[in-house]
């Protein structure tokens, strides 16, 4: 297999970073060769979590060629992945989300992972809502890293204490607390104005407004009657209300910079998936001492989730195949599932592990995710590729972001949402 590294050598262009990392491989010993892994884990917390995989592979004598493509939720990474496949130069493996994994499996691009899955008893230990995406036609096609969940609020604890803000349980109390922060000269809601982040916050509001059944009807079943309904109009109304508490510099802001606003005491809250917790932890902060985590008010009874899946591309090289299997085995192993989540902010995707090593937020999150999987309220995130295929997801992004960036009335937004989803499906 011709690696990017070899191609750089042939072209005579060897960036310093590659030289440095290749000498690091030599020290670790790369008797078995190296894997090239495409991912979008570029923030501080994300890179640390990814480093745990690199280290584990190094213990097995497998070298690491990182292929990072910055951009939250993988929007940019997926474009790069498509172009790599089109030019017949797939990486060894790639981080993807639910429907994208299914899409690559449908294109017959993936190595089956059934042997590794069988050895690790994956059928028994991963919950059904994840198997639904990590298997295709009864075969395992992806290794699940974790369960992330999107209906969380991350809060600056000293600001809450200073302003006498109790953890809000209702939407009204949530809004009132942001108003209080705003009046004291802070930003109420740390916000990153990018389509996937708009959609992440929006799906929280839909769940808070309509409850689990409505979320499912609208976001997963894509029922036009739910998409263009009074409840959806109310969701857009509430979304507009929430947007009053973001600052003027939010357009284009990366999610981790929004998290930093809460960390630094510039903003009270961020509504974001629990990868945000990875940033707090990376900054040396402790949950419930330095920062607070709670379910978005009104969404306490359900969990919207996504799970990063590692897919392995078909390869004729037996050495590559064996390294792919080793990597999948590591990702699915009990020890790695805990170590990774401790750094990433997530909870293990396996449901058979002790939560002793997890922090306070993750202990709650793990129990909630497992309970939700049992009661059928572990529902796929629209913003993160687990509610609908990419075409529909992007259509939702378009409407939601137009709403954020303009003056679209709520009833028009609901109507447009239903039309856009319909259009993307036909
Ligand atoms: C991924 C996370 C990632 C986040 C921000 C999500 O779609 O599942 O692993 O940290 O995007 O990029």
């Amino acid at each position: 297999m011709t690696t990017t590294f070899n191609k750089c050598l042939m072209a005579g262009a060897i960036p310093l970073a590659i030289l440095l990392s290749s000498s690091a491989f030599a020290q670790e010993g790369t008797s078995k060769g190296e894997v090239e892994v495409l991912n979008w884990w570029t923030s501080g917390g994300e890179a640390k979590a990814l480093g745990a995989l690199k280290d584990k592979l190094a213990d097995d004598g497998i070298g690491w060629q990182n292929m990072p493509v910055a951009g939250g939720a993988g929007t940019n990474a997926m474009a790069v992945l498509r172009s790599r496949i089109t030019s017949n130069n797939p990486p060894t493996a790639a981080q993807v989300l639910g429907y994208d994994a299914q899409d690559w499996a449908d294109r017959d691009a993936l190595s089956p992972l059934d042997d590794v899955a069988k050895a690790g008893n994956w059928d028994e230990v991963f919950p059904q809502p994840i198997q639904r995406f990590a298997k295709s036609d009864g075969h395992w096609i992806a290794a699940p890293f974790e369960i992330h969940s999107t209906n969380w609020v991350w809060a600056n604890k000293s600001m809450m204490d200073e302003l006498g803000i109790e953890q809000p349980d209702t939407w009204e109390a949530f809004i009132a607390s942001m108003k209080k922060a705003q009046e004291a000269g802070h930003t109420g809601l740390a916000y990153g104005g990018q389509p996937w982040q708009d959609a992440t916050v929006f799906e929280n509001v839909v769940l808070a407004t309509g409850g689990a059944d409505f979320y499912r009807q609208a976001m997963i079943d894509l029922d036009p009657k739910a998409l263009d309904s009074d409840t959806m109009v109310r969701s857009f109304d509430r979304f507009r209300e929430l947007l009053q508490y973001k600052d003027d510099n939010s357009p284009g802001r990366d999610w981790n910079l929004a998290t930093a606003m809460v960390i630094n005491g510039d903003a009270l809250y961020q509504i974001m998936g629990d990868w945000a917790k990875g940033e707090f932890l990376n900054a040396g902060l402790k949950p419930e001492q330095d920062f607070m985590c709670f379910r978005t008010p009104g969404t306490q009874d359900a969990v919207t989730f996504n799970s990063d899946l590692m897919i392995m591309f078909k390869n004729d090289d037996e050495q590559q195949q064996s390294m792919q299997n080793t990597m999948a085995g590591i990702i699915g192993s009990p020890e790695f599932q805990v170590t990774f989540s401790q750094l990433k902010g997530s909870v293990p995707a396996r449901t058979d592990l002790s939560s002793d090593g997890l922090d306070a937020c993750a202990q709650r999150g793990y129990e909630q995710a497992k309970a939700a999987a049992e009661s059928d309220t572990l529902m796929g995130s629209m913003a993160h590729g687990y509610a609908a295929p990419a075409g529909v997801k992007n259509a939702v992004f378009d409407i939601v972001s137009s709403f954020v960036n303009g003056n679209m009335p709520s009833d028009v937004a609901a109507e447009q949402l239903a039309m856009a989803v319909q259009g993307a499906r036909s």
Side-chain angles (χ1 to χ4, degrees):
M1 185 178 123
T2 311
T3 63
T4 307
F5 179 49
N6 289 338
K7 275 186 227 141
C8 287
L9 277 177
M10 289 186 292
I14 313 170
L16 184 62
I18 292 184
L19 268 180
L20 288 175
S21 58
S22 68
S23 68
F25 295 155
Q27 283 160 22
E28 284 159 4
T30 57
S31 50
K32 295 185 190 155
E34 66 184 35
V35 287
E36 189 197 10
V37 181
L38 191 142
N39 64 86
W40 65 92
W41 284 331
T42 56
S43 78
E46 291 175 329
K48 227 181 211 171
L50 185 61
L53 179 60
K54 177 187 161 184
D55 292 348
K56 270 280 174 200
L57 287 164
D59 291 346
D60 269 316
I62 296 176
W64 179 263
Q65 193 181 346
N66 204 21
M67 175 69 195
V69 183
T75 325
N76 302 339
M78 290 307 97
V80 172
L81 181 58
R82 275 192 301 276
S83 80
R84 288 284 303 263
I85 307 288
T86 312
S87 54
N88 207 14
N89 179 26
T92 313
Q95 171 203 2
V96 296
L97 296 167
Y99 274 97
D100 290 334
Q102 292 292 306
D103 190 34
W104 289 114
D106 291 347
R107 290 163 199 260
D108 203 22
L110 305 183
S111 305
L113 301 174
D114 290 327
D115 292 346
V116 185
K118 192 155 185 249
N121 209 16
W122 288 10
D123 277 335
E124 305 303 318
V125 298
F126 288 111
Q128 280 309 319
I130 289 194
Q131 292 199 25
R132 143 94 181 79
F133 291 96
K135 286 174 91 169
S136 170
D137 284 336
H139 298 285
W140 282 91
I141 46 93
F145 276 93
E146 44 14 16
I147 296 179
H148 270 308
S149 133
T150 59
N151 57 321
W152 283 110
V153 177
W154 308 95
N156 182 299
K157 181 163 188 314
S158 47
M159 198 184 294
M160 286 177 79
D161 293 346
E162 197 183 295
L163 299 176
I165 293 171
E166 299 280 322
Q167 181 181 311
D169 287 335
T170 62
W171 187 260
E172 291 69 28
F174 185 46
I175 295 289
S177 59
M178 283 183 278
K179 190 157 188 266
K180 209 167 193 183
Q182 206 92 311
E183 281 166 3
H186 306 290
T187 296
L189 187 67
Y191 195 90
Q194 295 174 343
W196 74 269
Q197 293 190 70
D198 294 333
T200 302
V201 176
F202 178 67
E203 73 185 25
N204 272 267
V205 182
V206 170
L207 182 59
T209 308
D213 288 346
F214 178 74
Y215 180 91
R216 187 184 301 284
Q217 273 164 24
M219 294 294 167
I220 296 176
D221 299 344
L222 307 175
D223 179 349
K225 287 205 264 333
L227 288 164
D228 186 9
S229 63
D230 289 348
T231 308
M232 188 58 80
V233 174
R234 269 208 313 283
S235 303
F236 276 110
D237 282 345
R238 278 184 163 187
F239 191 30
R240 185 69 82 206
E241 187 183 20
L242 192 63
L243 292 169
Q244 289 172 27
Y245 298 99
K246 64 182 180 59
D247 68 332
D248 290 343
N249 294 327
S250 60
R253 178 185 284 138
D254 286 332
W255 67 272
N256 54 321
L257 299 182
T259 311
M261 291 171 69
V262 179
I263 293 177
N264 297 336
D266 296 330
L268 177 62
Y269 300 141
Q270 181 184 22
I271 299 175
M272 188 45 61
D274 43 11
W275 47 89
K277 192 184 65 190
E279 299 304 294
F280 286 92
L281 301 177
N282 191 41
L285 305 182
K286 297 220 164 13
E288 296 189 344
Q289 284 179 30
D290 307 314
F291 66 96
M292 300 300 287
C293 54
F294 53 89
R295 293 289 175 186
T296 304
T299 74
Q300 291 92 334
D301 295 338
V303 175
T304 40
F305 86 99
N306 64 298
S307 169
D308 291 296
L309 303 175
M310 191 71 108
I311 52 173
M312 314 284 169
F313 289 92
K314 275 193 173 157
N315 202 303
D316 294 336
D317 181 328
E318 278 181 21
Q319 194 186 21
Q320 279 284 316
Q321 290 167 10
S322 138
M323 291 190 296
Q324 290 178 326
N325 284 332
T326 304
M327 180 155 45
I330 291 172
I331 294 169
S333 71
E335 188 205 342
F336 182 80
Q337 290 261 313
V338 173
T339 310
F340 184 82
S341 275
Q342 283 168 337
L343 299 166
K344 188 68 177 34
S346 47
V347 302
R350 294 174 66 115
T351 53
D352 62 333
L353 305 178
S354 157
S355 63
D356 288 354
L358 302 177
D359 64 49
C361 302
Q363 287 195 348
R364 265 191 286 142
Y366 192 39
E367 291 315 316
Q368 289 164 341
K370 285 192 289 183
E374 289 290 309
S375 65
D376 212 21
T377 50
L378 185 62
M379 298 184 298
S381 158
M382 168 58 80
H384 297 272
Y386 273 81
V392 171
K393 177 181 86 172
N394 291 330
V396 172
F397 283 12
D398 281 351
I399 303 302
V400 172
S401 291
S402 310
F403 181 82
V404 171
N405 299 315
N407 299 315
M408 195 188 282
S410 298
D411 57 342
V412 176
E415 196 184 331
Q416 298 249 331
L417 187 67
M419 272 166 46
V421 167
Q422 202 60 28
R425 295 181 82 183
S426 50

